[in-house]
Amino acid sequence: MDDNAPCDGPRTDRGEVISITMKIQYPDGQTKTVTYDEDWCFETGAILLAESCMTEEQKAQFHKSDDWRENPTFLKWERGHKRCGSDCVGGGTCTDCCACTSCPK
C-alpha cells in the first residue's frame, strides 16, 4: 500500500513491520523489554536512535533534562495521520511532525 493511498488492505509490494520489540538498558543498569504493536508500527514513520540523525530541535527534545529518567530513549516520527496519512502534516518537513516518545515506565 502506498503511504498516501487509501487504506485498502495490507501491502503487496514488500513486507510490512507489524511488531517491534526493543530491549532497553538504562544508566542504572536495569533493562526493560517493550513490544510495540501493529498500530504503533503503522503510525511510525521513523525511529531516531542516533543524535547524528537529529536536527538541533530534536536533540533538544532528546536531552530535555539533566536527569536521565526524564529523557526519551528514542524519538519517533509520526506518519501524520492514522493509517491513511502522508508522512508530513500540512506539507511541512518531516521534522514538523516529529513526536517525542519517552521511555516506557
Side-chain angles (χ1 to χ4, degrees):
M1 162 182 5
D2 182 313
D3 283 343
N4 297 314
C7 298
D8 54 6
R11 291 190 79 119
T12 58
D13 60 340
R14 67 179 55 92
E16 185 172 10
V17 176
I18 60 169
S19 177
I20 294 175
T21 299
M22 294 183 191
K23 185 171 183 179
I24 301 165
Q25 183 173 14
Y26 296 101
D28 65 359
Q30 293 185 54
T31 60
K32 181 180 287 190
T33 301
V34 294
T35 299
Y36 296 100
D37 66 11
E38 185 174 0
D39 287 338
W40 190 91
C41 293
F42 198 91
E43 294 164 3
T44 303
I47 298 170
L48 300 177
L49 302 172
E51 291 179 65
S52 61
C53 298
M54 296 178 191
T55 66
E56 291 305 314
E57 182 180 339
Q58 291 164 337
K59 288 177 186 178
Q61 291 176 342
F62 202 56
H63 293 286
K64 62 184 180 180
S65 174
D66 289 333
D67 182 350
W68 64 266
R69 292 168 198 86
E70 300 298 320
N71 292 323
T73 302
F74 58 88
L75 296 182
K76 173 186 169 183
W77 285 5
E78 298 284 341
R79 287 188 191 241
H81 300 284
K82 267 190 169 183
R83 296 267 178 211
C84 299
S86 64
D87 283 341
C88 298
V89 177
T93 63
C94 287
T95 56
D96 292 337
C97 55
C98 179
C100 186
T101 303
S102 296
C103 308
K105 295 183 178 170

